[in-house]
Amino acid sequence: MKIDAFHYVQLGTAYRGLQPVPDEEVIDLYGGTQHIPLYQMSGFYGKGPSIKQFMDIFSLPEMALLSCVVDHFLGHGLEFDQAHLYKDVTDAIRDVHVKGLMYQWIERDMEKYILRGDETFAVLSRLVAHGKQLFLITNSPFSFVDKGMRHMVGPDWRQLFDVVIVQADKPSFFTDRRKPFRKLDEKGSLHWDRITSLEKGKIYRQGNLYDFLRLTEWRGPRVLYFGDHLYSDLADLMLRHGWRTGAIIPELEREIRIINTEQYMHSLTWQQALTGLLERMQTYQDAESQQVLAAWVKERQELRCITKALFNAQFGSIFRTFHNPTYFSRRLVRFSDLYMASLSCLLNYRVDFTFYPRRTPLQHEAPLWMDQLCTGCMKTPFLSDMAHIR
């Protein structure tokens, strides 16, 4: 199911297996409300006592596998414990990583699975040419990283980075002080010597952020770190260490394409206009007015469903419910200074470009700004009557 920033389920997005759960049943399951209690919600790293937040590209196969297995069990009348099923599916997904199967499949067809190689090389080269110091911290093993980077950047890819760390074990890399760095040779064998400096062109395994900060002296907002997982990559760095962070959200490219279509803009504009009309006209209680209001409510709901389906027929946009930001969006803006579809988006800007924060109106600053914009009425009613209020 899809949850908004305020812990409310977006009705029409709850599924059991591959089948939608009726809105009435969802409300009944949560005690007559769409609200998910805080104690059931995800903890800091996206996993609560009874709910897990799916929020990265690895979630897609896990969600699909869970849905299909549940659908199979339900369709064949098989009894099962949800906790056992969740654990088995999660273990299967984990084993694909731990046993290196995913890396093997990708290495067999680099052209298919590794995208935007030329653009990535262009970004890295440009940053280095302007005197920036680059570092790579990844959970992947060196053999996989080396093959992938050779495919994208070339055999001398390590010369672009001042520090390269593999099998870092994020997010514990950012919080656990106990794991030391170890040096790897060209064959991937571990060295025994103590690490007193991080050298360019060398490969290091595991380690921890505290030693990284001590050895590099790269601290605070002078560092901009990019990652594609809000919790494993960005949360600790922003909250504990004050780094600037950039989130890579591949779905953003398609979502932006959709919101720039004429159909989306027309649908959204008319929704906002209807919302403004409903607010203004609800004071009329005569039968004819009530009939018109009921028709507007129905039309508004139909438009909301149409708009949702433009993004995804089951869940809609990953960034919004019907009107609120999603829970994912809330975490995204909390843990990232910038977010973009790909690192290659940086090619659209100069290296010394400054991104300034946008001032968006709070509810009390411009209570009718969107409705006024959509209905063509830019004058706030009762403003003169409110002038005496301090």
Side-chain angles (χ1 to χ4, degrees):
M1 60 188 174
K2 182 172 154 190
I3 299 174
D4 73 10
F6 308 101
H7 300 188
Y8 284 86
V9 179
Q10 180 180 1
L11 295 180
T13 67
Y15 283 78
R16 182 181 289 112
L18 300 174
Q19 305 305 315
V21 180
D23 295 344
E24 298 78 13
E25 185 177 347
V26 173
I27 293 172
D28 183 61
L29 283 169
Y30 289 97
T33 177
Q34 299 164 239
H35 185 260
I36 309 291
L38 180 62
Y39 72 88
Q40 292 186 16
M41 285 295 294
S42 298
F44 184 76
Y45 291 110
K47 183 179 180 182
S50 60
I51 294 179
K52 177 182 177 180
Q53 183 185 2
F54 290 110
M55 48 78 64
D56 69 346
I57 197 168
F58 295 113
S59 297
L60 298 177
E62 188 170 356
M63 292 166 65
L65 185 56
L66 272 170
S67 298
C68 290
V69 174
V70 169
D71 205 65
H72 174 81
F73 284 175
L74 293 176
H76 291 79
L78 302 173
E79 293 187 8
F80 66 99
D81 186 300
Q82 293 96 326
H84 296 333
L85 174 60
Y86 170 76
K87 183 180 184 304
D88 288 350
V89 169
T90 303
D91 288 348
I93 297 291
R94 186 201 62 216
D95 286 348
V96 167
H97 293 277
V98 173
K99 295 179 179 179
L101 298 175
M102 184 190 72
Y103 304 125
Q104 295 172 19
W105 298 331
I106 293 175
E107 289 171 10
R108 288 177 195 154
D109 197 346
M110 292 281 193
E111 291 292 340
K112 178 180 179 180
Y113 293 112
I114 296 185
L115 308 177
R116 302 184 185 277
D118 292 342
E119 295 170 2
T120 300
F121 178 50
V123 172
L124 299 177
S125 301
R126 189 182 185 203
L127 291 172
V128 171
H130 284 79
K132 303 300 180 183
Q133 294 174 290
L134 306 184
F135 62 93
L136 176 65
I137 303 176
T138 174
N139 286 348
S140 299
F142 172 68
S143 59
F144 178 71
V145 174
D146 186 51
K147 290 175 183 176
M149 292 301 287
R150 285 174 179 271
H151 178 81
M152 287 194 296
V153 176
D156 299 326
W157 67 270
R158 280 188 277 173
Q159 296 308 309
L160 294 172
F161 295 94
D162 291 84
V163 179
V164 177
I165 301 166
V166 299
Q167 291 177 277
D169 195 25
K170 297 179 292 183
S172 66
F173 177 87
F174 303 124
T175 57
D176 190 345
R177 299 171 179 261
R178 296 170 298 177
K179 298 175 181 177
F181 286 109
R182 296 191 68 176
K183 191 182 295 183
L184 288 173
D185 62 22
E186 294 292 335
K187 297 179 180 179
S189 299
L190 290 167
H191 288 203
W192 292 91
D193 50 320
R194 184 177 181 180
I195 303 301
T196 57
S197 65
L198 298 175
E199 303 174 48
K200 185 171 184 175
K202 304 296 184 182
I203 304 296
Y204 299 92
R205 190 180 113 168
Q206 211 161 63
N208 65 83
L209 183 67
Y210 298 93
D211 286 343
F212 179 86
L213 296 175
R214 177 175 56 83
L215 295 171
T216 63
E217 298 184 350
W218 296 340
R219 298 178 181 275
R222 293 187 301 132
V223 183
L224 174 57
Y225 183 79
F226 290 93
D228 63 358
H229 197 291
L230 298 184
Y231 301 112
S232 295
D233 286 317
L234 308 181
D236 287 306
L237 292 174
M238 170 170 275
L239 299 181
R240 297 173 186 266
H241 302 283
W243 286 13
R244 297 296 190 184
T245 55
I248 305 299
I249 314 295
E251 294 88 349
L252 189 62
E253 183 174 3
R254 179 175 177 272
E255 296 236 354
I256 290 176
R257 196 161 56 241
I258 292 170
I259 65 176
N260 280 295
T261 62
E262 185 176 347
Q263 182 181 7
Y264 174 84
M265 289 187 281
H266 173 78
S267 176
L268 181 62
T269 302
W270 186 228
Q271 278 183 67
Q272 294 299 104
L274 279 173
T275 302
L277 289 169
L278 284 167
E279 283 194 332
R280 289 174 176 79
M281 303 302 289
Q282 63 184 310
T283 55
Y284 294 90
Q285 297 297 312
D286 60 279
E288 185 177 359
S289 296
Q290 289 298 306
Q291 187 176 3
V292 172
L293 285 168
W296 285 348
V297 168
K298 181 181 178 183
E299 183 178 1
R300 177 173 174 266
Q301 183 58 32
E302 290 172 351
L303 277 170
R304 294 168 93 187
C305 293
I306 290 171
T307 306
K308 169 195 163 189
L310 291 175
F311 296 95
N312 178 277
Q314 287 75 36
F315 299 102
S317 167
I318 68 169
F319 297 98
R320 277 196 178 276
T321 57
F322 287 131
H323 51 277
N324 287 330
T326 56
Y327 187 76
F328 170 77
S329 285
R330 177 185 175 185
R331 305 299 248 185
L332 177 64
V333 299
R334 180 70 182 91
F335 298 141
S336 64
D337 293 288
L338 300 170
Y339 63 91
M340 59 196 70
S342 165
L343 198 64
S344 62
C345 294
L346 292 176
L347 293 173
N348 296 311
Y349 303 92
R350 290 163 50 99
V351 173
D352 61 354
F353 185 88
T354 300
F355 291 93
Y356 290 95
R358 299 290 193 270
R359 181 187 177 96
T360 54
L362 302 173
Q363 292 291 330
H364 69 280
E365 292 176 322
L368 300 173
W369 72 282
M370 181 55 82
D371 296 335
Q372 293 162 359
L373 181 65
C374 293
T375 57
C377 173
M378 296 305 294
K379 183 179 179 181
T380 303
F382 316 120
L383 194 59
S384 57
D385 297 335
M386 296 169 63
H388 67 283
I389 299 175
R390 295 291 182 265

